[in-house]
């Protein structure tokens, strides 16, 4: 022991040792680098790996289309990863901030979210896609969701609608033959279902984004049917949430709760529990976005038992409008190393057959349609509205990312009886003005 | 045993061979510093530099993406003072911290006393009580979300025949989350108390018993004062953990219903990643860090004083 303790390491020896280690480490690093350059740089010029980060909703269509792209262009591979919205938002914003964003990544249409096209393109981080052929066919009504200052920055395969996903079997058992077409009929249907011992509407309000869907389903009828230019007027400060049909929509929302049409304790119920209630027939319907229809079908014993109908937000059927928003899309990183290949992949997605495939995988209405486009039978009943009685999801025109989370929170507070509608709308107006 | 432990615990002087060497002119170049140097360099590059550089963002209006940012002075801190939501979240954070510190350490101490006694299955019990600590907090939150199912026939409600909306009732949600944290970390406090209990000399107990002290008196006058170092560590760790609680809240309620369970950490997360206000978020983080440091220092100062007093 004593010899060991006495064994000295002179300073010079110590530095020599450390220096040796450093040289060895550097040599290893350099040799690794040379190897990787050799295999990709000198070999085939087209051997490119694109990185894609998306949200869980995009997995089904991306899996299918990435496989198709591999066939069409074997030299390019796509490394994809998917996660729930919150996580993607956190990691992607960090990567965008640090300047190492994936080549292709999820982008939300319009403005109103921290990952929305307007915000990311505004920071100069999205590549302009305007030179691609498919961008010329974007329907006029959808342009604000795709374009900023006349340039297209996001690809999306089409639109989804918000309505009631319902269990046809439960409706039949309660003696309901056809979906309601007016608000009074809707209340009567709920009443009938309740008397038949079923929960009329499953509501998973613990999952924040689920809270907004009932107001979104009603506001097109209570606000936009009366004034299609509401968004512009609100932006100009001529109107507000509190002064508009938003109040009526929230009153209708709470009327459903007051009449006992929701499951017990909606604030403690999650989206997954909501799905299970409708899929198993414990509840008759859920007001939801059509993009999650495949999730409901997966949980149901017989997927054909499930269908959708527009929620009638007015007593005059002619005044019923629906929410139809561009589905979550993707864009190419403007400063990505493989920008040309990333844009080529998006161009591939923009082909009509691929728009059709993407739309089919998430039960969406294709952005543009041809003879081979198929529209999910469940959303057929929405088609008569899409031409002139549909409005984009409200948040797509909101000026900042704060209004939407405030909307989630005030709905939870309203359901808990903690605040009144006046306060809820005031908070939303305050967030809008920020 | 005890004597040996005391001896090892006392700081021992350096080996005389080293002390005899006349080469202490450059302390920073001594082998001990040189050996620590690589780790210190990595620590400085990975922790210190980013933390200090990050602080600068608190004085800007950076959105988190893009190059646009301008210096805004103390504007972010002024906003914080008038931010109703952030102020409410401070209240929630303090309530959660107090609940967690008191209950977690109370339960931890009881568990430690229980498994310190001569029980046949105490090794197994120690493992069981400590097991939740090694599970990821997010997993624990998801697990408890199922246990807190509001359905009267499911989860905790089904087990106890209750109809409580554990996470959906704004007046209850915060305490439900505190309960999951206590469930997870009581075992952690237990282990630290247990280490303290192992260090209480048996002779003192024997002496007290000869003097006629009962079980409670022996705990009060022998065990409890000697547990002071363990208590200091436990109180400090649980206070810091409570003040910066994020994972469990985020996974269980995301701050809801409404803003009922919003903590300072969830607010700063949302400001950065949901609202795109990175500068403001950093200002909140800075305030939180200073607050945690201040509370910890006061705690250590007070509790260490108590230890010395014995």
């Amino acid at each position: 022991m004593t010899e060991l303790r006495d064994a000295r390491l002179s300073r010079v020896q110590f530095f020599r040792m450390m220096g040796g280690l450093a040289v060895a480490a550097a040599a290893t690093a350099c040799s690794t680098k040379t190897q990787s350059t050799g295999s990709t740089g000198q070999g085939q010029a087209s051997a490119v790996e694109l990185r894609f980060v998306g949200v869980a909703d995009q997995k089904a269509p991306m899996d299918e289309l990435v496989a198709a792209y591999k066939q069409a262009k074997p030299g390019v591979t796509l490394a994809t990863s998917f996660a729930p919205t919150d996580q993607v938002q956190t990691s992607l914003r960090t990567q965008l901030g640090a300047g190492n964003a994936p080549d292709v990544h999820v982008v939300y249409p319009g403005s109103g979210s921290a990952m929305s096209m307007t915000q990311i393109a505004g920071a100069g981080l999205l590549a302009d896609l305007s030179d691609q052929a498919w961008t010329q066919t974007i329907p006029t009504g959808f342009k604000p969701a795709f374009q900023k200052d006349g340039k297209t920055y996001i690809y999306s395969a089409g639109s989804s609608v918000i309505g009631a996903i319902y269990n046809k079997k439960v409706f039949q058992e309660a003696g309901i033959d056809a979906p309601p077409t007016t608000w009074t009929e809707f209340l009567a249907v709920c009443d009938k279902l309740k008397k038949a011992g079923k929960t009329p509407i499953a509501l998973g309000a613990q999952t924040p984004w689920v809270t907004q869907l009932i107001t979104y389903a009603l506001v097109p009828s209570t606000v936009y049917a009366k004034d299609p230019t509401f968004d512009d007027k609100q932006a100009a400060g001529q109107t507000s949430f509190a002064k508009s049909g938003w109040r009526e929509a929230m009153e209708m929302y709470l009327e459903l709760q007051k009449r006992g049409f929701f499951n017990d304790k909606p604030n403690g119920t999650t989206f997954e529990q909501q799905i299970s209630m409708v899929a198993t027939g414990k509840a008759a319907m859920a007001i939801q976005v059509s993009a999650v229809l495949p999730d409901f079908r997966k949980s149901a014993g017989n997927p054909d038992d499930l269908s959708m109908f527009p929620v009638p937000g007015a007593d005059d059927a002619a005044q019923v409008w629906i929410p139809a928003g561009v589905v979550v899309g993707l864009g190419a990183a403007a400063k990505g190393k493989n920008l040309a290949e990333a844009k080529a992949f998006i161009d591939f997605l923009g082909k009509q057959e691929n728009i059709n495939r993407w739309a089919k995988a998430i039960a969406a209405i294709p952005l543009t349609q041809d003879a081979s486009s198929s529209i999910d039978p469940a959303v057929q009943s929405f088609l008569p509205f899409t031409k002139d009685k549909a409005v984009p999801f409200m948040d797509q025109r909101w000026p900042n990312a704060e209004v939407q989370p405030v909307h989630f929170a005030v709905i939870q507070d309203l359901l808990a009886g903690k605040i009144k509608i006046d306060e809820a709308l005031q908070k939303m107006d305050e967030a809008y003005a920020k | 045993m005890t004597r040996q432990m005391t001896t090892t615990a006392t700081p021992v002087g350096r080996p005389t061979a080293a002390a005899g060497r006349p080469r202490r002119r450059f302390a920073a170049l001594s082998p001990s510093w040189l050996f620590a140097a690589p780790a210190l360099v990595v620590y400085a590059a990975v922790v210190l530099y980013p933390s200090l550089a990050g602080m600068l963002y608190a004085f800007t209006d950076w959105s988190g993406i893009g190059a646009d940012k301008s210096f805004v002075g103390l504007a972010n801190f002024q906003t914080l003072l008038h931010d109703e939501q952030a102020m409410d979240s401070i209240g929630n954070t303090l309530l959660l911290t107090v609940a967690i510190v008191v209950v977690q350490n109370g339960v931890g101490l009881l568990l430690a006393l229980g498994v310190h006694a001569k029980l046949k299955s105490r090794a197994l019990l120690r493992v069981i009580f400590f097991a939740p600590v090694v599970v990821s907090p997010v997993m624990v939150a998801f697990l408890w979300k199922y246990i807190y199912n509001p359905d009267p026939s499911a989860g905790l409600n089904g087990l106890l025949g209750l109809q409580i909306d554990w996470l959906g009732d704004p007046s209850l949600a915060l305490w439900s989350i505190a309960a999951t944290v206590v469930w997870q970390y009581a075992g952690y406090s237990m282990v630290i108390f247990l280490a303290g209990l192992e260090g209480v000399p048996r002779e003192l107990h024997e002496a007290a018993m000869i003097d006629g002290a009962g079980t409670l008196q022996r705990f009060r006058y022998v065990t409890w004062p000697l547990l002071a170092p363990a208590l200091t560590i436990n109180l400090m760790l649980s206070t810091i953990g409570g003040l910066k609680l994020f994972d469990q809240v985020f996974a269980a309620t995301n701050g809801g219903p409404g803003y009922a369970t919003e903590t300072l950490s969830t607010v700063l997360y949302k400001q950065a990643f949901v609202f795109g206000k990175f500068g403001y978020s950093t200002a909140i983080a800075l305030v939180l860090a200073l607050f945690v440091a201040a509370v910890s220092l006061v705690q250590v100062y007070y509790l260490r004083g108590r230890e010395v007093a014995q």
Side-chain angles (χ1 to χ4, degrees), chain B residues 154-225:
Chain B
L156 196 58
N157 279 344
L159 196 70
L160 305 174
L162 296 170
Q163 290 200 19
I164 295 175
D165 195 0
W166 301 98
L167 292 171
D169 181 345
S171 56
L172 196 66
L174 198 66
W175 309 119
S176 303
I177 292 176
T180 64
V181 179
V182 169
W183 177 84
Q184 182 170 19
Y185 291 112
Y188 195 70
S189 299
M190 175 194 81
V191 169
I192 296 173
F193 279 128
L194 207 50
L197 286 174
E198 302 283 353
V200 177
R202 191 182 291 174
E203 292 88 333
L204 290 182
H205 273 288
E206 285 168 358
M209 273 165 89
I210 292 166
D211 288 344
T215 318
L216 274 180
Q217 280 173 313
R218 270 187 288 132
F219 175 75
R220 169 70 186 84
Y221 295 106
V222 179
T223 315
W224 181 243

Side-chain angles (χ1 to χ4, degrees), chain A residues 89-90 93 97 114 282 402 412, chain B residues 63-64 151 258 269 273-274 277:
Chain A
Q89 195 150 298
T90 312
R93 277 190 67 90
K282 202 172 156 190
E402 288 197 43
Q412 286 181 333
Chain B
S63 70
D151 192 326
Y269 164 81
F273 296 106
V274 181
K277 292 186 172 172

Side-chain angles (χ1 to χ4, degrees), chain A residues 25 51 67 72 93 140 147 236 238 279 364 381 390 423:
Chain A
R51 254 186 341 126
R93 277 190 67 90
T140 317
Q147 298 179 345
Q238 293 160 1
S381 58
E423 196 184 331

Side-chain angles (χ1 to χ4, degrees), chain A residues 379-411:
Chain A
V379 295
Q380 292 282 354
S381 58
F382 291 81
L383 293 181
F385 295 89
T386 49
K387 205 171 167 208
D388 53 1
K389 288 183 179 178
V391 280
F393 298 157
M394 288 75 229
D395 55 275
Q396 293 182 5
R397 292 287 310 272
W398 287 341
N400 62 53
E402 288 197 43
V403 191
Q404 197 175 22
V406 168
H407 183 211
F408 301 161
V410 296
I411 294 289

Side-chain angles (χ1 to χ4, degrees), chain B residues 245-263:
Chain B
L245 193 68
F246 175 78
D247 314 34
Q248 288 91 339
V249 181
F250 187 71
T253 60
N254 196 13
Y259 301 106
T261 56
E262 210 79 81
T263 64

Side-chain angles (χ1 to χ4, degrees), chain B:
Chain B
M1 265 309 274
T2 335
R3 181 163 289 276
Q4 269 175 0
M5 281 184 67
T6 330
T7 323
T8 13
T10 328
V12 193
R14 282 170 167 272
T16 40
R21 263 185 257 147
R23 38 181 301 204
R24 279 280 167 273
R25 277 175 303 154
F26 243 132
L29 278 178
S30 70
S32 53
W33 274 104
L34 287 171
F35 274 110
L40 287 176
V41 168
V42 171
Y43 176 75
V46 177
V47 180
L48 283 184
Y49 171 69
S51 305
L52 293 173
M55 277 184 205
L56 295 178
Y57 288 109
F59 305 94
T60 69
D61 62 354
W62 192 41
S63 70
I65 54 173
D68 278 355
K69 57 175 172 284
S70 45
F71 182 73
V72 293
L74 295 173
N76 287 327
F77 297 92
Q78 282 167 345
T79 312
L80 177 61
L81 286 177
H82 300 107
D83 185 340
E84 200 187 325
Q85 201 189 324
M87 288 297 143
D88 287 351
S89 75
I90 293 179
N92 287 341
T93 311
L94 291 176
L95 283 175
L96 259 179
T97 307
V98 171
I100 290 169
V101 168
V102 172
V103 184
Q104 180 184 313
N105 289 307
V107 174
L109 179 60
L110 289 177
L111 290 177
L113 289 170
V115 296
H116 186 59
K118 279 181 185 152
L119 285 175
K120 244 185 180 176
S121 53
R122 68 178 186 174
L124 179 71
L125 286 173
R126 285 176 186 188
V127 172
I128 290 175
F129 293 143
F130 189 72
V133 178
V134 298
V135 182
S136 131
V138 176
M139 287 295 294
V140 168
F142 280 123
L143 178 75
W144 277 87
K145 248 171 123 165
Y146 278 93
I147 297 175
Y148 283 146
N149 191 331
D151 192 326
S153 60
L156 196 58
N157 279 344
L159 196 70
L160 305 174
L162 296 170
Q163 290 200 19
I164 295 175
D165 195 0
W166 301 98
L167 292 171
D169 181 345
S171 56
L172 196 66
L174 198 66
W175 309 119
S176 303
I177 292 176
T180 64
V181 179
V182 169
W183 177 84
Q184 182 170 19
Y185 291 112
Y188 195 70
S189 299
M190 175 194 81
V191 169
I192 296 173
F193 279 128
L194 207 50
L197 286 174
E198 302 283 353
V200 177
R202 191 182 291 174
E203 292 88 333
L204 290 182
H205 273 288
E206 285 168 358
M209 273 165 89
I210 292 166
D211 288 344
T215 318
L216 274 180
Q217 280 173 313
R218 270 187 288 132
F219 175 75
R220 169 70 186 84
Y221 295 106
V222 179
T223 315
W224 181 243
L226 290 173
L227 275 183
L231 187 70
T232 307
I233 297 288
N234 263 336
L235 288 183
M236 203 173 83
L237 289 179
S238 52
T239 307
I240 294 174
L243 288 175
K244 60 190 186 86
L245 193 68
F246 175 78
D247 314 34
Q248 288 91 339
V249 181
F250 187 71
T253 60
N254 196 13
Y259 301 106
T261 56
E262 210 79 81
T263 64
L264 211 46
S265 299
T266 61
V267 168
L268 82 86
Y269 164 81
K270 285 181 185 173
Q271 289 293 345
F273 296 106
V274 181
F275 302 161
K277 292 186 172 172
F278 207 88
Y280 179 44
S281 164
T282 314
I284 302 179
L286 193 57
V287 170
L288 177 65
L290 292 176
F291 184 64
V292 171
V295 171
S296 310
L297 281 176
V298 169
Q299 234 177 8
V300 170
Y301 179 76
Y302 173 74
L303 292 168
R304 283 279 179 208
R306 187 175 160 268
E307 283 172 32
V308 174
Q310 296 152 46

Side-chain angles (χ1 to χ4, degrees), chain A residues 417-433:
Chain A
K418 229 180 131 189
I419 57 169
K420 299 269 182 244
I421 291 175
D422 280 338
E423 196 184 331
L425 293 170
Q426 190 196 333
K427 281 187 174 171
M428 288 179 68
D429 278 325
E430 283 168 7
Y432 188 96

